Amino acid sequence: MKKALVAALLIIISIPMLIAVAAMPPHGDADSPVHTHVSARYIEHGEEEAGAENLVTGVLLNYRGLDTAGEVIVIFTALMAAFAVLITHPGRGEESGPTTAALDPEPGTEPESDSKAPPPISPVVSFMVRLLTPFTTLFAIYVILNGHVTPGGGFQGGAILGGMFIALTIVLGEDKVRTLLPRRAAPWMQGAAVFAFVAIGVIGAATTGYFLGYPTDASLHLVRELMMVVIEIGIGLGGAAIFATIFLQMEAE
Amino acid sequence: MSLTFDILLLLLLIVTALAVAWTKDLLAAAIIFSSYSLMMCLLWQHRGAPDVAMTEAAVGAGITTVLFLVAIGRTTRREK
Amino acid sequence: MILTTDIRDAATIVIAIFGGVFFLVGTIGILRLPDFYSRTHAATKCDTIGAGSLLLALAVFNGLEASTWKILALVALVLLNGPTIGHALARAAHRTGLDPWHAEEG
């Protein structure tokens, strides 16, 4: 009965969706609204107007810069929400010993988790991760810095960097990785994307009068590129720090 | 040829999505979801969106899977 | 000139078919072999030699260009990663106490 109801509901929902799909213009149609509105201008003038060879980056950071800034702030806020759930004791570290004990709801659960200690990491895997780490880091930096020329950018490079961090944490343990991402520096790293956007936005507001405004003069081409690269670095570092800390927080006892 | 490849990828996407929904073993579901992300990544790349494909490969197939595995390790493996 | 491109094409075809055969054999192995360890062994062969030689075929097909070196770097990455993953899988299975398959059981 319940299943039949679900199936009926799904069919009822799917009918308007299929009608909407049938009403869509054919794929690749040059006269469809998507291609006649703003994207024609982006494709024609994007390179000299936005200052990025990679059109996607141009749209993300220049034409739709405010949207990307908002997106970055949303991600940062989501991280804060996740931390509110994940953190069971203050992240301040050693000096908050008594508070930790007070906040720990069931002290009896500790021995059980100790008995399930993970097996030692294979030396082969450990060696491979440590061997590939410099190359991965180089690739991530390349993706971040080259985002305005080739596919890639802050989000992609940051995800690669964060993945490398997670692999290193699994292999080396939390303590050693914490030297790369100290507790005091972590919040600043997580907010790097927001800081970069606000800083560049304020600089743009001071020079051009618009928040996130880029200099449009052709002679200031390098300045514009530098502003984009700063934002990309901020997004990359912020993304990597967010991924790494979520993982560290989930792994932490 | 190109369209055939797309249709094949879309069919695989549907199959993996259904498999994720139907699998009771959450560990297997996380791994199948990772392969779903891989299909999605290939599809993005093939439709000419390499930026999104890179994000999908790094975040979808990589980091989310690890986070899912950690979460499963902290909770239970079977869906109730 | 025609001769060199012919040789290159022939080498590409040979290496690609070699990789394809490895993929085919490896996939049959994953489907047909009896236990986790032997299936891991088949999958690792697929990933390492199959993907490695297909990438090598692409590099040969490309000739001496900038992207060829990127493909060769990918080959090196595949050759390093494949065996490591196979090792990690088999080690994890062994550590959790999975017994290998014996002929008398089946």
Side-chain angles (χ1 to χ4, degrees):
Chain A
M1 181 57 205
K2 204 175 161 191
K3 274 190 179 174
L5 208 66
V6 169
L9 200 64
L10 280 178
I11 289 169
I12 292 171
I13 293 172
S14 65
I15 287 171
M17 285 183 160
L18 287 175
I19 291 172
V21 167
M24 267 161 47
H27 186 85
D29 183 11
D31 296 328
S32 64
V34 189
H35 292 126
T36 50
H37 194 43
V38 283
S39 43
R41 186 187 169 87
Y42 289 170
I43 291 167
E44 267 177 41
H45 303 287
E47 208 173 315
E48 68 255 36
E49 276 184 0
E53 272 176 62
N54 183 6
L55 270 182
V56 177
T57 311
V59 171
L60 271 181
L61 295 188
N62 198 327
Y63 287 119
R64 293 281 176 264
L66 267 181
D67 300 53
T68 315
E71 187 185 336
V72 160
I73 292 168
V74 164
I75 291 174
F76 189 67
T77 319
L79 173 83
M80 293 298 114
F83 273 13
V85 179
L86 281 175
I87 293 183
T88 48
H89 52 80
R92 278 285 162 188
E94 298 85 291
E95 68 246 35
S96 58
T99 356
T100 320
L103 277 175
D104 199 357
E106 289 164 61
T109 50
E110 273 187 338
E112 193 191 286
S113 54
D114 269 347
S115 66
K116 279 201 299 181
I121 296 292
S122 151
V124 181
V125 177
S126 169
F127 173 76
M128 283 308 301
V129 169
R130 281 181 289 141
L131 179 75
L132 290 178
T133 295
F135 299 103
T136 320
T137 316
L138 186 67
F139 180 60
I141 291 172
Y142 167 79
V143 169
I144 292 175
L145 291 186
N146 226 18
H148 57 289
V149 185
T150 52
F155 289 108
Q156 290 87 345
I160 296 168
L161 211 58
M164 191 209 75
F165 240 90
I166 291 175
L168 270 183
T169 316
I170 293 172
V171 163
L172 294 178
E174 198 194 325
D175 298 335
K176 280 193 176 167
V177 174
R178 271 290 179 193
T179 56
L180 286 173
L181 188 73
R183 276 186 199 281
R184 281 179 196 283
W188 298 97
M189 294 273 284
Q190 288 151 15
V194 182
F195 292 139
F197 254 112
V198 170
I200 295 295
V202 167
I203 289 174
T207 50
T208 64
Y210 300 104
F211 185 74
L212 263 179
Y214 294 93
T216 43
D217 199 42
S219 59
L220 292 172
H221 177 73
L222 275 176
V223 177
R224 191 167 57 179
E225 226 162 70
L226 188 72
M227 288 164 87
M228 284 187 165
V229 166
V230 168
I231 294 185
E232 295 273 31
I233 292 173
I235 294 175
L237 283 182
I242 285 173
F243 284 129
T245 34
I246 287 180
F247 180 77
L248 286 173
Q249 228 25 272
M250 284 173 90
E251 277 285 274
E253 279 305 312
Chain B
M1 183 58 203
S2 180
L3 193 66
T4 325
F5 188 63
D6 275 352
I7 291 171
L8 198 70
L9 278 180
L10 283 170
L11 283 178
L12 275 170
L13 263 185
I14 295 171
V15 167
T16 42
L18 288 177
V20 171
W22 269 326
T23 315
K24 291 278 182 219
D25 185 346
L26 291 178
L27 194 61
I31 302 296
I32 299 170
F33 190 63
S34 163
S35 70
Y36 170 91
S37 286
L38 186 69
M39 299 295 153
M40 202 72 213
C41 163
L42 286 176
L43 197 63
W44 287 127
Q45 171 66 35
H46 198 243
R47 295 316 280 169
D51 293 80
V52 193
M54 278 181 83
T55 319
E56 185 75 41
V59 179
I63 291 175
T64 22
T65 310
V66 175
L67 292 182
F68 274 141
L69 293 187
V70 175
I72 291 168
R74 309 289 266 157
T75 52
T76 53
R77 191 178 156 177
R78 312 290 305 181
E79 188 181 331
K80 297 230 170 64
Chain C
M1 275 315 283
I2 299 164
L3 193 68
T4 47
T5 44
D6 278 351
I7 291 174
R8 189 195 286 169
D9 282 357
T12 307
I13 291 169
V14 167
I15 301 173
I17 287 178
F18 180 74
V21 166
F22 249 94
F23 256 114
L24 184 70
V25 170
T27 312
I28 294 172
I30 294 174
L31 293 174
R32 294 286 299 153
L33 285 175
D35 77 329
F36 179 80
Y37 294 103
S38 43
R39 282 202 294 266
T40 308
H41 138 101
T44 309
K45 267 192 181 38
C46 250
D47 274 359
T48 315
I49 306 198
S53 28
L54 282 180
L55 283 170
L56 199 65
L58 279 181
V60 171
F61 180 72
N62 225 10
L64 273 177
E65 277 179 46
S67 51
T68 308
W69 299 105
K70 294 182 187 171
I71 299 176
L72 287 179
L74 274 181
V75 173
L77 193 72
V78 162
L79 287 186
L80 285 173
N81 269 352
T84 314
I85 293 165
H87 160 83
L89 280 174
R91 188 175 189 270
H94 181 68
R95 287 239 167 209
T96 43
L98 185 71
D99 275 332
W101 174 82
H102 296 291
E104 55 263 35
E105 287 173 17

PDB file of all heavy atoms in Angstrom, chain C residues 66-79:
ATOM      1  N   ALA C  66      54.724  18.494 -25.632  1.00  0.00           N
ATOM      2  CA  ALA C  66      54.694  18.830 -24.207  1.00  0.00           C
ATOM      3  C   ALA C  66      53.740  17.900 -23.460  1.00  0.00           C
ATOM      4  O   ALA C  66      54.038  17.451 -22.352  1.00  0.00           O
ATOM      5  CB  ALA C  66      54.274  20.279 -24.018  1.00  0.00           C
ATOM      6  N   SER C  67      52.592  17.581 -24.100  1.00  0.00           N
ATOM      7  CA  SER C  67      51.613  16.771 -23.382  1.00  0.00           C
ATOM      8  C   SER C  67      52.085  15.338 -23.215  1.00  0.00           C
ATOM      9  O   SER C  67      51.619  14.621 -22.327  1.00  0.00           O
ATOM     10  CB  SER C  67      50.280  16.807 -24.124  1.00  0.00           C
ATOM     11  OG  SER C  67      50.469  16.491 -25.479  1.00  0.00           O
ATOM     12  N   THR C  68      53.033  14.902 -24.069  1.00  0.00           N
ATOM     13  CA  THR C  68      53.558  13.537 -23.930  1.00  0.00           C
ATOM     14  C   THR C  68      54.203  13.334 -22.565  1.00  0.00           C
ATOM     15  O   THR C  68      54.046  12.285 -21.943  1.00  0.00           O
ATOM     16  CB  THR C  68      54.584  13.273 -25.034  1.00  0.00           C
ATOM     17  OG1 THR C  68      54.006  13.605 -26.277  1.00  0.00           O
ATOM     18  CG2 THR C  68      55.006  11.823 -25.037  1.00  0.00           C
ATOM     19  N   TRP C  69      54.914  14.369 -22.116  1.00  0.00           N
ATOM     20  CA  TRP C  69      55.584  14.226 -20.816  1.00  0.00           C
ATOM     21  C   TRP C  69      54.567  14.135 -19.695  1.00  0.00           C
ATOM     22  O   TRP C  69      54.778  13.424 -18.711  1.00  0.00           O
ATOM     23  CB  TRP C  69      56.539  15.397 -20.601  1.00  0.00           C
ATOM     24  CG  TRP C  69      57.592  15.416 -21.653  1.00  0.00           C
ATOM     25  CD1 TRP C  69      57.674  16.268 -22.709  1.00  0.00           C
ATOM     26  CD2 TRP C  69      58.660  14.486 -21.811  1.00  0.00           C
ATOM     27  NE1 TRP C  69      58.739  15.936 -23.494  1.00  0.00           N
ATOM     28  CE2 TRP C  69      59.367  14.848 -22.971  1.00  0.00           C
ATOM     29  CE3 TRP C  69      59.111  13.384 -21.079  1.00  0.00           C
ATOM     30  CZ2 TRP C  69      60.471  14.165 -23.428  1.00  0.00           C
ATOM     31  CZ3 TRP C  69      60.218  12.694 -21.533  1.00  0.00           C
ATOM     32  CH2 TRP C  69      60.891  13.084 -22.687  1.00  0.00           C
ATOM     33  N   LYS C  70      53.452  14.844 -19.851  1.00  0.00           N
ATOM     34  CA  LYS C  70      52.393  14.723 -18.834  1.00  0.00           C
ATOM     35  C   LYS C  70      51.849  13.294 -18.818  1.00  0.00           C
ATOM     36  O   LYS C  70      51.616  12.711 -17.753  1.00  0.00           O
ATOM     37  CB  LYS C  70      51.262  15.715 -19.127  1.00  0.00           C
ATOM     38  CG  LYS C  70      51.687  17.147 -18.974  1.00  0.00           C
ATOM     39  CD  LYS C  70      50.521  18.081 -19.227  1.00  0.00           C
ATOM     40  CE  LYS C  70      50.992  19.530 -19.249  1.00  0.00           C
ATOM     41  NZ  LYS C  70      49.953  20.449 -19.693  1.00  0.00           N
ATOM     42  N   ILE C  71      51.659  12.723 -20.027  1.00  0.00           N
ATOM     43  CA  ILE C  71      51.147  11.345 -20.079  1.00  0.00           C
ATOM     44  C   ILE C  71      52.153  10.391 -19.451  1.00  0.00           C
ATOM     45  O   ILE C  71      51.777   9.475 -18.710  1.00  0.00           O
ATOM     46  CB  ILE C  71      50.832  10.949 -21.534  1.00  0.00           C
ATOM     47  CG1 ILE C  71      49.753  11.860 -22.116  1.00  0.00           C
ATOM     48  CG2 ILE C  71      50.385   9.508 -21.612  1.00  0.00           C
ATOM     49  CD1 ILE C  71      49.469  11.597 -23.564  1.00  0.00           C
ATOM     50  N   LEU C  72      53.457  10.627 -19.721  1.00  0.00           N
ATOM     51  CA  LEU C  72      54.463   9.744 -19.133  1.00  0.00           C
ATOM     52  C   LEU C  72      54.476   9.874 -17.606  1.00  0.00           C
ATOM     53  O   LEU C  72      54.646   8.881 -16.892  1.00  0.00           O
ATOM     54  CB  LEU C  72      55.846  10.069 -19.712  1.00  0.00           C
ATOM     55  CG  LEU C  72      56.044   9.618 -21.160  1.00  0.00           C
ATOM     56  CD1 LEU C  72      57.419   9.995 -21.659  1.00  0.00           C
ATOM     57  CD2 LEU C  72      55.835   8.114 -21.291  1.00  0.00           C
ATOM     58  N   ALA C  73      54.258  11.088 -17.104  1.00  0.00           N
ATOM     59  CA  ALA C  73      54.151  11.266 -15.652  1.00  0.00           C
ATOM     60  C   ALA C  73      52.962  10.478 -15.115  1.00  0.00           C
ATOM     61  O   ALA C  73      53.044   9.855 -14.045  1.00  0.00           O
ATOM     62  CB  ALA C  73      54.005  12.749 -15.314  1.00  0.00           C
ATOM     63  N   LEU C  74      51.862  10.470 -15.893  1.00  0.00           N
ATOM     64  CA  LEU C  74      50.689   9.690 -15.481  1.00  0.00           C
ATOM     65  C   LEU C  74      51.022   8.205 -15.455  1.00  0.00           C
ATOM     66  O   LEU C  74      50.591   7.478 -14.549  1.00  0.00           O
ATOM     67  CB  LEU C  74      49.527   9.935 -16.441  1.00  0.00           C
ATOM     68  CG  LEU C  74      48.641  11.126 -16.152  1.00  0.00           C
ATOM     69  CD1 LEU C  74      47.542  11.211 -17.181  1.00  0.00           C
ATOM     70  CD2 LEU C  74      48.039  10.972 -14.771  1.00  0.00           C
ATOM     71  N   VAL C  75      51.808   7.743 -16.474  1.00  0.00           N
ATOM     72  CA  VAL C  75      52.207   6.335 -16.489  1.00  0.00           C
ATOM     73  C   VAL C  75      52.982   6.003 -15.218  1.00  0.00           C
ATOM     74  O   VAL C  75      52.721   4.995 -14.546  1.00  0.00           O
ATOM     75  CB  VAL C  75      53.060   6.032 -17.749  1.00  0.00           C
ATOM     76  CG1 VAL C  75      53.621   4.628 -17.672  1.00  0.00           C
ATOM     77  CG2 VAL C  75      52.241   6.196 -18.998  1.00  0.00           C
ATOM     78  N   ALA C  76      53.939   6.877 -14.868  1.00  0.00           N
ATOM     79  CA  ALA C  76      54.726   6.644 -13.653  1.00  0.00           C
ATOM     80  C   ALA C  76      53.811   6.588 -12.435  1.00  0.00           C
ATOM     81  O   ALA C  76      53.952   5.712 -11.568  1.00  0.00           O
ATOM     82  CB  ALA C  76      55.764   7.750 -13.489  1.00  0.00           C
ATOM     83  N   LEU C  77      52.835   7.509 -12.380  1.00  0.00           N
ATOM     84  CA  LEU C  77      51.908   7.552 -11.242  1.00  0.00           C
ATOM     85  C   LEU C  77      51.111   6.251 -11.154  1.00  0.00           C
ATOM     86  O   LEU C  77      50.958   5.660 -10.074  1.00  0.00           O
ATOM     87  CB  LEU C  77      50.964   8.739 -11.419  1.00  0.00           C
ATOM     88  CG  LEU C  77      50.137   9.119 -10.214  1.00  0.00           C
ATOM     89  CD1 LEU C  77      51.035   9.763  -9.184  1.00  0.00           C
ATOM     90  CD2 LEU C  77      49.041  10.071 -10.602  1.00  0.00           C
ATOM     91  N   VAL C  78      50.628   5.782 -12.330  1.00  0.00           N
ATOM     92  CA  VAL C  78      49.838   4.548 -12.342  1.00  0.00           C
ATOM     93  C   VAL C  78      50.695   3.367 -11.904  1.00  0.00           C
ATOM     94  O   VAL C  78      50.277   2.522 -11.110  1.00  0.00           O
ATOM     95  CB  VAL C  78      49.242   4.340 -13.750  1.00  0.00           C
ATOM     96  CG1 VAL C  78      48.804   2.914 -13.943  1.00  0.00           C
ATOM     97  CG2 VAL C  78      48.082   5.278 -13.972  1.00  0.00           C
ATOM     98  N   LEU C  79      51.937   3.322 -12.419  1.00  0.00           N
ATOM     99  CA  LEU C  79      52.812   2.200 -12.072  1.00  0.00           C
ATOM    100  C   LEU C  79      53.138   2.196 -10.586  1.00  0.00           C
ATOM    101  O   LEU C  79      53.342   1.141  -9.983  1.00  0.00           O
ATOM    102  CB  LEU C  79      54.111   2.273 -12.886  1.00  0.00           C
ATOM    103  CG  LEU C  79      53.993   1.916 -14.368  1.00  0.00           C
ATOM    104  CD1 LEU C  79      55.364   1.891 -15.006  1.00  0.00           C
ATOM    105  CD2 LEU C  79      53.311   0.578 -14.560  1.00  0.00           C
TER     106      LEU C  79
END
